Amino acid sequence: MKDKAPPPLVIDYAGDRLAGVDEVGRGPLVGPVVAAAVILDPARPIEGLADSKKLTAKRREALAAEIRERALAFALAEASAAEVDALNVFHATHLAMRRAIDALAPAAEYLLVDGNRLPGHHVPGQAVVKGDARHPAIAAASILAKVERDAGMLALDARHPDYGFARHKGYPTREHLAALERLGALPEHRRSFGPVKRQLALF
């Protein structure tokens, strides 16, 4: 049975400084949560914006370059693995989102945030469930955040090739869990996440 299409998105804002906000990296055992905020330029539309998870890596990278070139404004920010451990992943995600929103120039006047909660920013806005499939500005943010975090995982893979970060991007796959068991946790691993916590308890 097909999923029902979500109702049309009603936005209580009609200006040009609407920012889409999304994050990537809540589930991985390693590295930061990365958030992006994007204000698209109505005069320079970008074809093919969609949920980043439904695009190939090559397509995401091509769209990310186009977003950087054509958007009115974009910003990326993160919350580190240490901040995820200190705050929990939910609050760290919202911290990364607020940092991205604050870094926009020009500033946003209204926010569309993927998910069911706003990140506690003073700029008004609305949370949009499955927003990356429902509004191009959120899709653009999801693409920038995904490309940025994947690049970070490739850099980590270059430093620690035995963990397989280039393949699993830090998610708790069988390969990652086996490497964690065999090699132990890196400083970049999230200490508060169960598999890492259990591994650290063995040493």
Side-chain angles (χ1 to χ4, degrees), residues 23-26 30-36 76-100 149 188 190:
E23 53 70 33
V24 172
R26 286 173 69 147
V30 68
V33 175
V34 177
L76 286 145
E78 59 183 48
S80 68
E83 288 172 322
V84 170
D85 290 335
L87 300 171
N88 79 36
V89 74
F90 175 79
H91 292 298
T93 295
H94 282 182
L95 175 62
M97 285 180 168
R98 291 194 299 272
R99 285 171 172 163
R149 193 178 193 283
E188 293 86 356
R190 300 173 181 177

Side-chain angles (χ1 to χ4, degrees), residues 40-77:
L40 293 174
D41 184 346
R44 305 183 77 197
I46 300 168
E47 290 294 318
L49 293 174
D51 175 359
S52 65
K53 296 183 287 298
K54 296 184 176 172
L55 301 168
T56 64
K58 188 174 179 182
R59 185 71 185 126
R60 277 195 301 268
E61 284 164 21
L63 282 167
E66 217 173 324
I67 293 160
R68 288 170 178 269
E69 184 191 328
R70 295 190 179 194
L72 277 178
F74 70 89
L76 286 145

Side-chain angles (χ1 to χ4, degrees), residues 115-200:
N116 58 9
R117 295 281 291 276
L118 287 169
H121 199 278
H122 64 83
V123 175
Q126 64 198 78
V128 184
V129 174
K130 297 189 177 171
D132 42 12
R134 296 176 68 192
H135 195 279
I138 303 177
S142 83
I143 290 164
L144 284 191
K146 173 75 172 150
V147 168
E148 181 79 1
R149 193 178 193 283
D150 283 357
M153 286 296 101
L154 291 176
L156 190 61
D157 183 76
R159 295 197 300 278
H160 304 283
D162 294 337
Y163 287 81
F165 295 124
R167 290 182 293 279
H168 55 65
K169 305 298 190 292
Y171 285 88
T173 62
R174 189 176 295 173
E175 179 189 15
H176 190 182
L177 295 174
L180 194 58
E181 192 174 321
R182 190 172 73 251
L183 303 166
L186 294 168
E188 293 86 356
H189 274 102
R190 300 173 181 177
R191 267 91 185 115
S192 58
F193 279 43
V196 182
K197 191 187 286 186
R198 287 192 291 276
Q199 184 60 24
L200 289 168

